[in-house]
Amino acid sequence: MRRPQASQDARRAREFEAFVAGAAGRLLHAATLLTAEPRDDNPRARSLLTASLAHTYATWDRLRGEDPYARARHQLAVRFARGAWHRYRGHGGLLERLAPQERLILVLRMYEGVAEEQTAALLGLPVERVRAICARAMSLLLDPPRGPAPKATGPDTAAARPDGAEAGADTGAVMSGADRKEAAPS
């Protein structure tokens, strides 16, 4: 009686190992995007992935035709959503300037290709809210807010400015040559 159980456990382990070999890279990348960590230094993403894969393995026998990748992705999103919105701040990753909820929706919608309706159901949000959050996140990434212009200090800053303007020039204000001589320190 023990023999069939051992054989079944070995088959289950082989199936899961094959799944992890094929899906772990993409899931790790999704977790790294969620945690907004750099690709080469992502301990939180690895922890998140490990927990979601452990849950997927625990429920492996109950999948019964369900896509294991979808289950692992679901667990990744749920685990991130439950605890990460308060803990995971960006640490140099591509999506660090986005709020955790924006990152989650953007990764699910744009990276994973999950439909708006499925994303909304997963997060318990209305479809319109998911659509609005995704649009806002995309606009923040594609057209980031601009901060104040850096202040020019010293005489050598004119050459360093990318627009070629002089260091003391204001936007829209142009000094004539006589004005510059009067304004120049003696």
Side-chain angles (χ1 to χ4, degrees):
M1 198 164 203
R2 285 264 182 206
R3 199 168 202 64
Q5 181 66 33
S7 173
Q8 188 177 21
D9 288 345
R11 181 189 51 79
R12 176 183 183 208
R14 282 191 310 272
E15 288 174 354
F16 186 74
E17 286 174 11
F19 162 71
V20 170
R26 185 171 172 93
L27 287 168
L28 179 60
H29 188 70
T32 302
L33 290 172
L34 288 173
T35 59
E37 294 176 307
R39 208 180 327 175
D40 54 344
D41 183 27
N42 54 2
R44 290 183 179 136
R46 290 178 184 277
S47 175
L48 190 62
L49 176 62
T50 301
S52 68
L53 286 176
H55 184 273
T56 303
Y57 182 72
T59 61
W60 191 258
D61 291 333
R62 291 179 277 171
L63 290 176
R64 292 191 176 88
E66 185 181 340
D67 181 18
Y69 185 84
R71 173 66 66 97
R73 179 183 59 215
H74 176 84
Q75 275 303 307
L76 195 69
V78 166
R79 289 181 181 280
F80 178 78
R82 283 187 184 151
W85 289 1
H86 305 290
R87 291 184 296 213
Y88 291 114
R89 303 288 181 238
H91 298 290
L94 177 66
L95 305 178
E96 75 176 325
R97 77 180 119 207
L98 298 178
Q101 186 180 35
E102 292 170 335
R103 286 196 307 258
L104 177 58
I105 290 173
L106 194 68
V107 168
L108 287 173
R109 292 281 300 123
M110 300 298 146
Y111 181 70
E112 290 293 325
V114 178
E116 285 178 344
E117 295 80 15
Q118 289 176 315
T119 303
L122 176 67
L123 301 177
L125 297 171
V127 175
E128 297 79 24
R129 181 81 176 128
V130 168
R131 188 176 298 131
I133 292 170
C134 188
R136 182 179 60 225
M138 286 298 291
S139 70
L140 281 172
L141 287 178
L142 296 175
D143 188 27
R146 295 193 176 121
K151 296 191 182 221
T153 56
D156 295 338
T157 56
R161 288 189 50 181
D163 59 359
E166 291 185 20
D170 282 335
T171 55
V174 178
M175 295 177 133
S176 68
D179 292 336
R180 277 193 208 112
K181 287 179 184 173
E182 290 176 14
S186 305

